[in-house]
Amino acid sequence: KGKGKGKDKAKAKGKGKGKAGNDEDKGPSGPDLPRERVVEEPMLGEVVTWKGKFGWIKPSEEIDHPEASKHGGKLYCHRKDLIGVETLEKGDTVQFNVFKDSSGLGAEEVVPC
Protein backbone atom coordinates (compact mmCIF):
# COMPACT_ATOMS: atom_id res chain seq x y z
CA LYS A 1 0.00 0.00 0.00
CA GLY A 2 1.30 3.47 -0.92
CA LYS A 3 4.05 2.02 -3.10
CA GLY A 4 4.89 4.07 -6.18
CA LYS A 5 2.80 7.10 -5.33
CA GLY A 6 4.26 10.39 -6.47
CA LYS A 7 6.98 8.98 -8.71
CA ASP A 8 5.39 10.26 -11.91
CA LYS A 9 5.01 13.74 -10.48
CA ALA A 10 8.73 14.00 -9.76
CA LYS A 11 9.62 13.13 -13.35
CA ALA A 12 7.28 15.75 -14.82
CA LYS A 13 8.30 18.54 -12.49
CA GLY A 14 9.32 21.67 -14.32
CA LYS A 15 8.20 20.54 -17.76
CA GLY A 16 6.04 22.53 -20.11
CA LYS A 17 6.56 26.04 -18.72
CA GLY A 18 10.13 26.80 -19.69
CA LYS A 19 11.28 29.91 -21.54
CA ALA A 20 12.47 28.01 -24.61
CA GLY A 21 10.73 29.23 -27.73
CA ASN A 22 9.32 32.39 -26.13
CA ASP A 23 12.32 34.56 -27.02
CA GLU A 24 11.08 35.00 -30.59
CA ASP A 25 7.96 36.86 -29.41
CA LYS A 26 9.91 39.58 -27.61
CA GLY A 27 11.57 42.43 -29.43
CA PRO A 28 14.95 43.90 -28.53
CA SER A 29 15.23 45.38 -25.06
CA GLY A 30 17.72 46.68 -22.53
CA PRO A 31 19.79 49.78 -21.88
CA ASP A 32 22.28 49.35 -24.73
CA LEU A 33 20.00 49.81 -27.75
CA PRO A 34 20.73 52.74 -30.09
CA ARG A 35 18.93 55.88 -28.86
CA GLU A 36 17.57 59.08 -30.34
CA ARG A 37 16.61 62.10 -28.20
CA VAL A 38 12.98 63.10 -28.85
CA VAL A 39 12.43 66.06 -26.51
CA GLU A 40 14.77 69.07 -26.47
CA GLU A 41 14.17 70.27 -22.90
CA PRO A 42 14.48 68.14 -19.73
CA MET A 43 11.16 67.02 -18.21
CA LEU A 44 9.89 66.21 -14.73
CA GLY A 45 8.16 63.02 -13.68
CA GLU A 46 7.48 60.57 -10.87
CA VAL A 47 8.95 57.11 -10.37
CA VAL A 48 6.05 54.65 -10.63
CA THR A 49 8.05 51.46 -9.99
CA TRP A 50 11.69 50.56 -9.39
CA LYS A 51 12.87 46.94 -9.57
CA GLY A 52 16.56 46.86 -8.68
CA LYS A 53 18.27 47.81 -11.96
CA PHE A 54 15.40 49.44 -13.82
CA GLY A 55 12.03 51.08 -13.39
CA TRP A 56 9.28 53.17 -14.95
CA ILE A 57 8.72 56.92 -14.77
CA LYS A 58 5.41 58.70 -15.39
CA PRO A 59 6.12 62.10 -16.99
CA SER A 60 4.30 65.08 -15.44
CA GLU A 61 3.47 66.42 -18.92
CA GLU A 62 2.18 64.55 -21.94
CA ILE A 63 4.85 63.74 -24.53
CA ASP A 64 3.96 64.56 -28.14
CA HIS A 65 5.27 61.42 -29.81
CA PRO A 66 3.62 58.50 -31.68
CA GLU A 67 5.01 55.98 -29.15
CA ALA A 68 4.11 58.01 -26.04
CA SER A 69 1.10 55.79 -25.24
CA LYS A 70 3.21 52.60 -25.36
CA HIS A 71 3.81 51.06 -21.91
CA GLY A 72 0.83 52.96 -20.49
CA GLY A 73 2.50 56.32 -21.05
CA LYS A 74 5.41 55.40 -18.77
CA LEU A 75 9.09 55.76 -19.67
CA TYR A 76 11.68 53.02 -19.18
CA CYS A 77 14.64 53.94 -17.00
CA HIS A 78 17.76 51.84 -16.36
CA ARG A 79 20.21 52.27 -13.50
CA LYS A 80 22.85 53.28 -16.09
CA ASP A 81 20.77 56.39 -16.83
CA LEU A 82 20.84 57.71 -13.26
CA ILE A 83 23.12 60.63 -12.37
CA GLY A 84 24.38 61.06 -8.80
CA VAL A 85 22.43 58.11 -7.36
CA GLU A 86 22.51 54.32 -7.65
CA THR A 87 18.79 53.65 -7.34
CA LEU A 88 15.38 55.30 -7.20
CA GLU A 89 12.26 54.67 -5.13
CA LYS A 90 8.58 54.73 -5.98
CA GLY A 91 7.25 58.26 -5.55
CA ASP A 92 10.58 60.02 -6.22
CA THR A 93 10.35 63.16 -8.39
CA VAL A 94 13.00 63.20 -11.10
CA GLN A 95 14.22 65.35 -13.99
CA PHE A 96 15.23 63.59 -17.21
CA ASN A 97 15.61 63.73 -20.98
CA VAL A 98 13.40 61.57 -23.20
CA PHE A 99 14.84 59.18 -25.78
CA LYS A 100 13.43 56.70 -28.28
CA ASP A 101 14.84 53.28 -29.07
CA SER A 102 13.42 50.18 -30.74
CA SER A 103 11.55 49.24 -27.53
CA GLY A 104 9.81 52.60 -27.14
CA LEU A 105 10.43 55.75 -25.10
CA GLY A 106 12.73 56.01 -22.12
CA ALA A 107 14.31 58.44 -19.66
CA GLU A 108 18.04 59.21 -19.64
CA GLU A 109 20.26 61.55 -17.63
CA VAL A 110 17.83 61.06 -14.72
CA VAL A 111 18.44 63.28 -11.68
CA PRO A 112 16.40 63.23 -8.44
CA CYS A 113 14.78 66.58 -7.58
Side-chain angles (χ1 to χ4, degrees), residues 3-89:
K3 231 178 183 183
K5 280 190 177 180
K7 282 187 179 179
D8 291 338
K9 286 182 183 178
K11 288 181 185 176
K13 189 174 183 182
K15 290 189 178 181
K17 293 193 178 185
K19 291 186 177 183
N22 291 341
D23 292 340
E24 294 173 26
D25 299 337
K26 293 182 180 180
S29 65
D32 300 320
L33 295 171
R35 296 176 172 186
E36 175 188 332
R37 182 99 25 115
V38 293
V39 177
E40 294 296 318
E41 296 293 317
M43 297 185 72
L44 292 175
E46 182 181 329
V47 178
V48 183
T49 57
W50 191 262
K51 301 180 183 230
K53 293 184 180 182
F54 74 96
W56 295 92
I57 296 172
K58 182 77 172 172
S60 56
E61 299 174 38
E62 198 171 298
I63 299 170
D64 184 21
H65 191 276
E67 294 191 32
S69 61
K70 202 172 183 180
H71 306 296
K74 297 176 288 198
L75 305 174
Y76 172 83
C77 178
H78 191 272
R79 184 170 66 182
K80 287 173 139 182
D81 294 304
L82 304 180
I83 296 175
V85 293
E86 294 289 316
T87 186
L88 295 172
E89 291 185 21

